[in-house]
Amino acid sequence: MRLRGCVIAGRLFAMAFLLLASDIAVARQPVGVDSALSQEAAGVGEPVQFTITVRGSQSAEVPRNFAVDGLRVMFRGQSSSINVINFQMSSTSTYTFLIVPEREGVFRIPSLAVSVDGKTYQTAEQVLEVRGTAAVT
């Protein structure tokens, strides 16, 4: 009984691997690149999350360091997911940055170049309005 369970598990693993590895068997989603701020307004010193999301590929080159005068920008990490539903494969990688405003003003996070499978995509410019100090909760 135990051996039968191992054989079945092995076959399921092999089938899943073949589906993921085969470009013919699994339809893939088109590549897309987006960026977003967790909020459009913040106070001085109030952290804001900035994300770059890449869909349709697991091999993206995203800038980890970029500067905006008046903002402290720190790369926080990457998360990835792959889903196969009804032979439709989708993949998403999210790159997360923490932005801490150092002074009041309107700040423009520039369009960033993201390389995916040899092609270059541009994120949308994001605008962050910073007023006063962060609210204490």
Side-chain angles (χ1 to χ4, degrees):
M1 187 68 153
R2 186 172 171 194
L3 180 60
R4 183 174 178 219
C6 289
V7 170
I8 292 171
R11 287 182 183 165
L12 288 174
F13 177 79
M15 287 173 40
F17 176 79
L18 288 173
L19 285 174
L20 289 173
S22 172
D23 286 334
I24 297 170
V26 178
R28 296 176 184 257
Q29 75 186 106
V31 173
V33 176
D34 296 309
S35 62
L37 288 169
S38 60
Q39 57 198 59
E40 295 175 354
V44 174
E46 181 180 357
V48 175
Q49 185 171 292
F50 173 66
T51 57
I52 297 173
T53 303
V54 178
R55 286 179 309 287
S57 178
Q58 293 292 308
S59 61
E61 293 178 31
V62 174
R64 308 271 170 123
N65 298 312
F66 62 92
V68 177
D69 188 40
L71 301 177
R72 190 166 21 125
V73 180
M74 298 162 281
F75 179 70
R76 286 297 180 209
Q78 173 191 353
S79 63
S80 298
S81 69
I82 298 175
N83 294 309
V84 178
I85 300 172
N86 294 331
F87 299 100
Q88 298 292 317
M89 184 170 108
S90 64
S91 62
T92 303
S93 293
T94 302
Y95 301 82
T96 303
F97 299 81
L98 188 66
I99 296 178
V100 180
E102 297 176 327
R103 66 174 190 266
E104 291 184 35
V106 176
F107 299 94
R108 297 189 181 285
I109 298 163
S111 173
L112 300 171
V114 176
S115 178
V116 181
D117 300 327
K119 253 180 116 174
T120 302
Y121 297 82
Q122 296 291 135
T123 64
E125 178 182 84
Q126 301 293 321
V127 177
L128 178 63
E129 185 176 344
V130 179
R131 298 184 199 153
T133 56
V136 178
T137 58

